Amino acid sequence: MSELGTVHVRALRKCFGERTVLQCIDLDVASGEICCIIGPSGSGKSTLLRCIDGLESIDSGVLRVNGEDLGYYETPTAYHALNPKQVARQRTQMGVVFQQFNLFPNMTAAENVMSGPVLVKGASKKESRVRATELLASVGLRGLEGHYPSQLSGGQQQRVAIARALAMDPSVMLFDEPTSALDPEWVGEVLAVMQDLAERGMTMLIATHEMGFAREVADTLIFMDGGVVVERGDAREVITNPKEPRTKQFLRMVL
């Protein structure tokens, strides 16, 4: 059975100097599953996503995406680090959308979307432009292909960022608080695009404070605090009937 679109984490540990920011993290996300990660600021949500994407190395544990050990390969006696080119290949299978849009200001919306396939995969500019136009239309930006980021609203810029991530044809999408930098009026349009992705079967891990979105869209929900997973389960069950006292306390504050 194909493991494309799956994420498997066991006993993951990550430290920055002497500070442990993730400890003994276990996580399984099936292909097509929507997993929302909630928790207070500093709980480790963003660091976990950065480890899954390979932006941060892990100190110990097992991390597999699409059935492959991320950054390493295993022999009967040891783990061995992959070379940077092999790691880069693995990372192209994941799309990442951050709080900040990180668009190239001197590129149009279409050029931003084209940049990954052209520069990383060596795709032709002609084919990539056609694909960029299709992707921008799919996120509600038809007709804005020639606009620069400065000419777009925050919600439009974040939708360009989502289209840019999708241009690499990822099997897993990671969202790190994708609406936290947006004015309230623009949040809904970005969440609508994410809900459409969910309905199309994209595997997604989403660090979010948008509890209504998590309740409606997520299959599973994880509550993190202090670098550990405090509670996990069916999203609607955890939100409406949390079992752990710390989860109950947090949800009372955000709902």
Side-chain angles (χ1 to χ4, degrees):
M1 182 181 295
S2 172
E3 295 187 74
L4 192 67
T6 63
V7 178
H8 172 79
V9 178
R10 282 292 177 274
L12 186 147
R13 184 170 179 268
K14 173 63 182 176
C15 301
F16 291 114
E18 296 183 356
R19 184 167 64 96
T20 301
V21 294
L22 296 174
Q23 47 188 323
C24 205
I25 301 292
D26 291 343
L27 172 67
D28 282 296
V29 182
S31 179
E33 184 176 337
I34 313 303
C35 176
C36 280
I37 307 169
I38 64 171
S41 297
S43 60
K45 304 186 300 295
S46 294
T47 301
L48 176 58
L49 292 182
R50 289 175 66 85
C51 287
I52 293 172
D53 182 51
L55 288 170
E56 298 285 355
S57 61
I58 66 174
D59 291 296
S60 61
V62 174
L63 172 55
R64 296 193 183 105
V65 179
N66 299 321
E68 293 185 334
D69 288 296
L70 189 65
Y72 297 87
Y73 68 96
E74 187 179 8
T75 66
T77 57
Y79 277 100
H80 306 274
L82 295 175
N83 64 47
K85 187 174 182 179
Q86 291 170 313
V87 174
R89 177 193 60 78
Q90 289 184 326
R91 293 191 62 223
T92 63
Q93 299 176 62
M94 288 171 279
V96 188
V97 179
F98 297 102
Q99 298 177 26
Q100 303 301 325
F101 322 126
N102 297 325
L103 300 178
F104 298 112
N106 60 332
M107 291 185 180
T108 64
E111 289 168 343
N112 267 281
V113 176
M114 294 166 56
S115 60
V118 171
L119 297 176
V120 178
K121 290 188 170 182
S124 77
K125 288 186 177 181
K126 182 177 180 180
E127 292 176 354
S128 296
R129 186 172 293 278
V130 171
R131 174 72 168 145
T133 300
E134 294 172 349
L135 285 169
L136 288 169
S138 76
V139 297
L141 297 177
R142 187 185 304 275
L144 299 182
E145 300 88 353
H147 284 54
Y148 288 91
S150 62
Q151 298 172 303
L152 301 172
S153 71
Q156 290 170 332
Q157 289 184 60
Q158 191 63 296
R159 283 184 281 160
V160 173
I162 293 173
R164 181 176 62 181
L166 292 173
M168 297 296 286
D169 294 317
S171 55
V172 177
M173 284 286 287
L174 308 176
F175 292 87
D176 185 9
E177 302 283 4
T179 61
S180 65
L182 298 178
D183 288 341
E185 62 185 304
W186 298 328
V187 169
E189 60 191 43
V190 173
L191 294 180
V193 170
M194 295 169 63
Q195 183 158 6
D196 181 62
L197 287 176
E199 291 170 357
R200 286 190 268 158
M202 174 66 74
T203 304
M204 297 196 289
L205 282 83
I206 307 164
T208 184
H209 288 301
E210 298 291 339
M211 302 307 301
F213 176 82
R215 181 189 287 112
E216 293 299 318
V217 177
D219 299 303
T220 55
L221 186 131
I222 289 174
F223 172 62
M224 293 183 65
D225 192 24
V228 301
V229 173
V230 176
E231 187 165 350
R232 80 190 76 208
D234 175 83
R236 281 151 291 283
E237 177 66 19
V238 172
I239 291 172
T240 59
N241 187 32
K243 294 178 172 57
E244 298 296 329
R246 181 65 184 97
T247 313
K248 294 178 181 179
Q249 180 187 37
F250 176 79
L251 289 173
R252 278 197 300 267
M253 296 174 63
V254 299
L255 290 176

